[in-house]
Amino acid sequence: MSATQYRTTAGATVRLGARLGEGGEGVVHVVDGSGDLAAKIYLPGLAAEREGKVLAMAGARLHANKFVAYPVDALFDLRSGAFAGFTMRKAANRRPVHELYSPSSRKTAFPSATYPLLVRAMSNVARAMASVHASGCVIGDVNHSGVMVAPDATVTLIDSDSFQYVVGGRNFPCKVGTPDFTPPELQSKPFAGVVRTPNHDAFGLATLVFMTLFMGRFPFVGRFKGAGEMPPIDRLIAEFRFAYSNRSATTLMEPPPNMPTLADLPLPLADAFERAFGPLGANSGRPGAPEWVGLLERAEADLVRCNRKDNHHHFRQAPNCPWCRMEQVFPGFVAFVPTSPVFQGGAAVDLAQLIASVRGVPDPGPAPDLAALMPASPAPKPSTAVKEARSARTGRRGAALVLGPVGLVLMGLGGGGVALGLIAMVAALITFFATPEVIEAAGRQARAAKTEWETARKTFEQAAGNATFLKTRQDAETLIQQMQNLPAEEARRLAALEAGRREAQMRRHLERFKVAQAKVSGIGGARKLTLRSYGIETAADIEYNRITAIKNFGPSTASSLVKWRRAAEAKFNFDPHQGVDPQDVASVKADIAKARSDVIGRLSHTVGTLQRLSAEAKAFRTNLDPRYAVAWSAYRQAEIDLKALDLD
Amino acid sequence: MSEMSYDQRPFGNAEFAENPENRCPVVLLLDNSASMRGRPMNELNTGLQVFRDELFADTLAAKRVDVAVVTFGPVKVEIDFVGAQHFHAPTLSTAADTPMGAAVEQALSLLRARKDAYKSNGIGYYRPWVFLITDGGPTDSISRAAQLVREGEEAKAFMFFAVGVEGANFDTLRQLSVREPLKLDGLRFRDLFKWLSASLSTVSKSRIDEAPALANPTGPSGWAVAG
């Protein structure tokens, strides 16, 4: 467990509050009493490598930039004085950019976002990046989660401590990258030793802008026209296969079906994407962040409202509304949420209102029978093929009816006629009852049409039904239940703390005995280091099984460590007047608060999901896929045909 | 299918219009033969629940990871490919035999169909994962399955991982999997699925040169032991 208090460079004490999140490098906490500050505390072993960079960034007061969460103050361990992390401005009420560009998440994270807001958010990203470049930094690891967007389209760049920072002749490198946003010239290469440039960042920026303007589509994925399988994503990027490019003869790629294309953009934007993703860009030719600011600002002036739907906006250069096009082609797809009151998860949440919102989303009910929704039309006539098959059969049956009596007569004649007559009779019966191939073929076709319709009906039942809706609502009810149990759980855990005062005092007592200072036979400096790397730092951490689980630590070593712990335990005196440690109480309360905010987060997410499921199910019913009608008329034809063939 | 072209515009492909993120598909191939009855099955089910919760908690991974579940004993597609954000962990019960070969073939054919759906909808994807968990040996022939796995691994069409629970036939697993099979430590299904979801989440994470993409499952805090 990490400490909760740290010292700043100036010597002030900083106390950490609730935990905001955790990444691969460290944990982010609220800074108590600071209002808008957060603190990132590195995981063990990671701090030292960042110390120089963080100190340089804080010293240069880069944090005067309001759009980047630069280090405000370095933080040091109270006891050892070792560098531990830094404070920075909190990115409150902001969501990662992938929740903005992806239509499914946008509905819940940014329910009122329109296309003009998306364009504005991207010019703000370009502004923030331009300001980073102006201060001697390069982002290096541009990605889906490092850009945080507020509901008003302003952005904050986070993870500034991974930026590359060149100052006073020193280069603090950026050693990370996210494959999807890494330019062709750096694909599949180690980042170590590479000096990152604004032109590299420009690739990541263009990718983000593209994905945001194209409903979350990745610029290098489309339909591959070359031989064999489409290359994997890293190679698509490395080979400049921009799927929307005019250079399709070279890229061998086409845009994905039914998606907007560069023709839907103002020419300067289309051209900028070609430069950003094509081979020319690799030699410093990509539009930089300042150029994108201008491009996107001018593009805003080209936005018009769709003449069919109020919540659709597009560039006036588009031949027609790209979102109407998509909504027609993908039944159930909603490009932008129609403006209606939607619950928004904020700081102060009215629980009753949240629960009411969850329960208030109307259940779309089971899907209606698809057949009932099909256009009424007069019963079809048997098809020509069937008529022909039938007349062929009638002909054969006629022949059989002649052949039969002939056989009878032959048999009546006696002698050799009997055998001949029998043969004729059998032949007649076979001809009469056997099904000729034409009829079987017509029957097969009709049955296939029936199966097709049944499949369509089932697909519709699923898509337009409420099974997923009900399941999601049931999950939400479980969450509500969980939340209502939280006060009881808090009370139970606080009571347990009271009861466990003795253990807690003992633990604090044992924590004063450091392994590093212990004199235990057979435990030298190297072994102490190993123990430390397994989180065994004080007598409180010593347990027989924990020790033997470590490689090269045998039972005898474990026993002497346990003996050392016992000796420490023997020095303990219980103080009945000492109450529960306020820190323990705070930690229980923080746990419960976190659980509560998790549940609230998931519940408010669920409201959006329920609304979407409900809307989608209804959309499937009103916006019927035209292929249903085709399947329906084929099915009706099949019914008639099967009847006409006496096969049903 | 007749003239109606389902290949071009399948019903319900709004899935990809709604969420066009590059995908990482994973097939879980789970042995639910009779020997798993009792605690092993309960732990496996809890593990699946943990898997779902962990993926769900990572909003980007929830959009990028597609999950399918195939059980064998007999072979059954419990869940065809679905985005992690719409994945509801199934509760499995035990059945009879262990047709591992047929199950692997079924899993690979699901995977092929899913890749086709990505291609026709213009969705990018990372190399898929097939994750087999078993506590026994096959009751059918695995020679064709083993060949398909070898070919797929060579063509980098997927990565196949085999995990044996105590009692599994590791010789068979070695024949089936190009990678060395892993042995589950006791019944630590929960840790296994935590590891799996964390590993799958790395497809949406920053890459650091020095660090391996996956935590070693046989490490001190891992869920596997040397087979």
Side-chain angles (χ1 to χ4, degrees):
Chain A
M1 210 184 119
S2 58
T4 56
Q5 290 191 39
Y6 292 89
R7 188 173 290 124
T8 66
T9 318
T13 303
V14 161
R15 183 185 267 275
L16 303 191
R19 190 180 159 110
L20 288 172
E22 186 175 348
E25 295 187 331
V27 183
V28 177
H29 288 268
V30 174
V31 171
D32 267 355
S34 68
D36 67 339
L37 284 185
K40 173 169 174 177
I41 302 300
Y42 289 108
L43 296 177
L46 295 179
E49 195 251 329
R50 295 289 168 84
E51 181 171 7
K53 190 196 286 186
V54 169
L55 288 175
M57 285 179 156
R61 300 194 56 79
L62 296 181
H63 61 86
N65 182 334
K66 295 253 180 303
F67 305 107
V68 186
Y70 277 120
V72 173
D73 242 326
L75 293 178
F76 302 89
D77 191 279
L78 277 186
R79 277 171 296 186
S80 68
F83 172 74
F86 61 91
T87 58
M88 60 187 166
R89 200 172 293 107
K90 228 173 14 185
N93 291 325
R94 278 148 206 266
R95 307 290 314 164
V97 67
H98 70 81
E99 296 189 2
L100 178 72
Y101 67 60
S102 167
S104 60
S105 335
R106 183 165 61 234
K107 274 166 213 155
T108 47
F110 297 91
S112 55
T114 56
Y115 199 63
L117 182 132
L118 301 188
V119 178
R120 177 67 60 83
M122 287 305 107
S123 70
N124 284 337
V125 175
R127 282 184 188 92
M129 187 185 276
S131 72
V132 168
H133 291 167
S135 62
C137 293
V138 175
I139 295 173
D141 183 15
V142 179
N143 67 58
H144 349 62
S145 307
V147 177
M148 304 295 285
V149 186
D152 65 356
T154 57
V155 308
T156 305
L157 305 183
I158 58 169
D159 294 334
S160 64
D161 55 325
S162 75
F163 291 4
Q164 171 183 281
Y165 183 35
V166 178
V167 63
R170 291 188 67 188
N171 181 355
F172 299 103
C174 167
K175 294 184 181 168
V176 286
T178 301
D180 292 5
F181 296 86
T182 300
E185 61 273 24
L186 297 185
Q187 279 293 333
S188 315
K189 287 198 187 113
F191 292 124
V194 174
V195 176
R196 314 291 271 271
T197 66
N199 194 50
H200 295 152
D201 275 3
F203 178 85
L205 173 60
T207 307
L208 270 184
V209 175
F210 185 91
M211 291 176 80
T212 308
L213 297 187
F214 282 77
M215 288 284 148
R217 292 284 167 158
F218 188 65
F220 293 85
V221 176
R223 284 198 277 197
F224 181 57
K225 295 286 152 194
E229 296 248 326
M230 182 166 80
I233 294 168
D234 55 340
R235 271 186 48 214
L236 291 171
I237 299 176
E239 293 165 3
F240 307 103
R241 295 185 193 271
F242 174 35
Y244 299 70
S245 175
N246 280 330
R247 302 177 296 112
S248 61
T250 338
T251 60
L252 299 180
M253 297 287 286
E254 277 180 11
N258 307 310
M259 291 304 299
T261 67
L262 293 188
D264 291 308
L265 300 184
L267 208 53
L269 275 189
D271 170 63
F273 284 128
E274 293 274 19
R275 280 187 289 140
F277 300 134
L280 288 179
N283 310 311
S284 79
R286 295 190 184 105
E291 186 177 346
W292 276 111
V293 173
L295 281 166
L296 290 163
E297 258 174 14
R298 283 189 294 281
E300 278 190 28
D302 282 328
L303 285 166
V304 293
R305 196 159 88 175
C306 164
N307 52 20
R308 291 183 53 216
K309 291 196 169 169
D310 283 359
N311 51 330
H312 287 182
H313 299 75
H314 57 84
F315 294 110
R316 61 183 173 76
Q317 287 81 359
N320 47 35
C321 175
W323 322 128
C324 285
R325 263 167 21 217
M326 280 185 73
E327 286 180 359
Q328 272 155 22
V329 178
F330 304 111
F333 174 71
V334 182
F336 295 93
V337 180
T339 34
S340 69
V342 174
F343 181 86
Q344 268 183 303
V349 174
D350 181 346
L351 266 185
Q353 192 203 330
L354 178 54
I355 295 174
S357 317
V358 169
R359 294 183 176 153
V361 183
D363 175 2
D369 184 5
L370 184 56
L373 300 176
M374 290 292 111
S377 58
K381 296 254 172 347
S383 64
T384 354
V386 165
K387 276 190 208 142
E388 277 163 12
R390 206 162 49 163
S391 68
R393 181 166 64 187
T394 317
R396 285 172 60 137
R397 288 193 178 163
L401 287 178
V402 175
L403 199 58
V406 168
L408 214 58
V409 171
L410 279 174
M411 279 168 72
L413 290 177
V418 175
L420 216 56
L422 251 175
I423 292 170
M425 286 281 287
V426 171
L429 281 170
I430 290 173
T431 315
F432 191 89
F433 288 106
T435 318
E437 172 54 25
V438 265
I439 297 217
E440 274 188 358
R444 269 199 303 276
Q445 207 184 345
R447 279 192 204 98
K450 279 182 91 162
T451 318
E452 193 112 327
W453 164 249
E454 284 311 324
T455 313
R457 199 153 88 164
K458 270 198 206 113
T459 321
F460 174 79
E461 212 173 271
Q462 209 170 26
N466 60 348
T468 322
F469 179 90
L470 291 179
K471 213 166 189 178
T472 312
R473 197 162 67 178
Q474 201 184 344
D475 283 358
E477 287 297 333
T478 315
L479 285 174
I480 292 174
Q481 188 75 46
Q482 260 176 36
M483 187 152 58
Q484 287 165 342
N485 290 339
L486 282 178
E489 195 189 328
E490 185 179 76
R492 190 180 53 72
R493 285 179 56 181
L494 289 177
L497 274 186
E498 187 59 39
R501 270 191 307 155
R502 189 190 160 85
E503 283 71 39
Q505 278 186 34
M506 171 67 97
R507 199 189 64 229
R508 282 198 299 280
H509 167 78
L510 289 177
E511 278 172 354
R512 286 198 281 270
F513 294 82
K514 309 284 179 209
V515 170
Q517 281 120 39
K519 290 198 180 68
V520 182
S521 69
I523 308 287
R527 303 209 118 192
K528 284 179 180 172
L529 262 181
T530 310
L531 285 170
R532 198 173 160 196
S533 74
Y534 280 83
I536 298 173
E537 299 188 17
T538 71
D541 302 322
I542 303 280
E543 275 163 40
Y544 186 84
N545 289 338
R546 262 181 91 179
I547 308 293
T548 50
I550 304 172
K551 208 176 164 194
N552 297 332
F553 278 69
S556 73
T557 321
S559 303
S560 32
L561 280 166
V562 169
K563 216 191 265 166
W564 174 66
R565 177 191 163 121
R566 297 265 178 272
E569 281 174 359
K571 293 178 191 148
F572 171 68
N573 289 316
F574 177 59
D575 173 3
H577 302 296
Q578 208 178 332
V580 173
D581 186 342
Q583 209 162 312
D584 290 342
V585 175
S587 123
V588 167
K589 295 209 159 158
D591 267 9
I592 298 288
K594 183 173 180 302
R596 193 177 127 95
S597 93
D598 279 357
V599 173
I600 289 177
R602 284 172 69 175
L603 269 181
S604 31
H605 182 85
T606 309
V607 176
T609 310
L610 285 172
Q611 280 171 339
R612 178 174 61 79
L613 289 172
S614 175
E616 276 173 7
K618 285 180 196 148
F620 266 104
R621 299 173 198 180
T622 48
N623 191 5
L624 279 182
D625 192 300
R627 281 165 300 162
Y628 289 138
V630 179
W632 169 246
S633 73
Y635 165 76
R636 296 236 296 163
Q637 185 67 56
E639 292 260 270
I640 297 293
D641 286 356
L642 287 173
K643 190 163 273 164
L645 294 169
D646 302 324
L647 285 177
D648 56 343
Chain B
M1 290 279 147
S2 64
E3 300 96 57
M4 275 173 78
S5 171
Y6 282 94
D7 288 347
Q8 293 295 304
R9 286 175 46 192
F11 283 121
N13 62 356
E15 177 189 358
F16 297 115
E18 285 282 351
N19 173 18
E21 284 286 353
N22 293 332
R23 298 299 214 280
C24 182
V26 56
V27 190
L28 302 177
L29 253 170
L30 308 176
D31 182 347
N32 60 339
S33 58
S35 52
M36 291 283 287
R37 178 161 302 142
R39 248 193 91 213
M41 205 62 204
N42 293 342
E43 290 295 317
L44 175 60
N45 279 325
T46 319
L48 283 171
Q49 193 62 50
V50 168
F51 180 63
R52 185 252 180 209
D53 291 348
E54 298 269 320
L55 282 179
F56 196 85
D58 178 342
T59 54
L60 190 55
K63 287 190 283 189
R64 296 193 139 205
V65 175
D66 281 351
V67 189
V69 180
V70 175
T71 52
F72 51 104
V75 179
K76 182 178 169 206
V77 178
E78 295 280 347
I79 295 178
D80 199 349
F81 274 107
V82 60
Q85 51 188 345
H86 302 300
F87 172 67
H88 293 277
T91 303
L92 307 177
S93 48
T94 49
D97 51 352
T98 317
M100 194 187 294
V104 170
E105 289 175 40
Q106 171 74 65
L108 298 185
S109 93
L110 275 187
L111 199 53
R112 264 193 304 279
R114 187 62 172 176
K115 281 189 180 181
D116 288 342
Y118 294 152
K119 279 178 214 154
S120 59
N121 286 287
I123 295 294
Y125 58 89
Y126 298 93
R127 205 192 309 181
W129 289 39
V130 182
F131 213 87
L132 169 88
I133 301 177
T134 180
D135 75 333
T139 51
D140 65 346
S141 160
I142 59 151
S143 63
R144 191 176 137 69
Q147 191 196 339
L148 291 174
V149 169
R150 243 187 337 271
E151 287 169 5
E153 288 270 13
E154 262 165 39
K156 295 193 187 305
F158 54 78
M159 289 186 280
F160 187 93
F161 298 90
V163 177
V165 183
E166 187 66 56
N169 182 342
F170 281 86
D171 289 336
T172 314
L173 293 183
R174 260 176 219 112
Q175 281 169 41
L176 191 58
S177 169
V178 177
R179 288 153 215 279
E180 180 64 19
L182 294 161
K183 184 174 180 207
L184 187 69
D185 183 3
L187 291 175
R188 296 177 62 184
F189 283 107
R190 265 176 271 198
D191 294 326
L192 182 160
F193 279 106
K194 263 194 176 160
W195 173 89
L196 182 59
S197 74
S199 304
L200 289 168
S201 295
T202 58
V203 299
S204 50
K205 293 279 156 58
S206 303
R207 177 165 58 91
I208 308 171
D209 297 326
E210 304 93 77
L214 305 181
N216 178 8
T218 55
S221 58
W223 48 266
V225 292

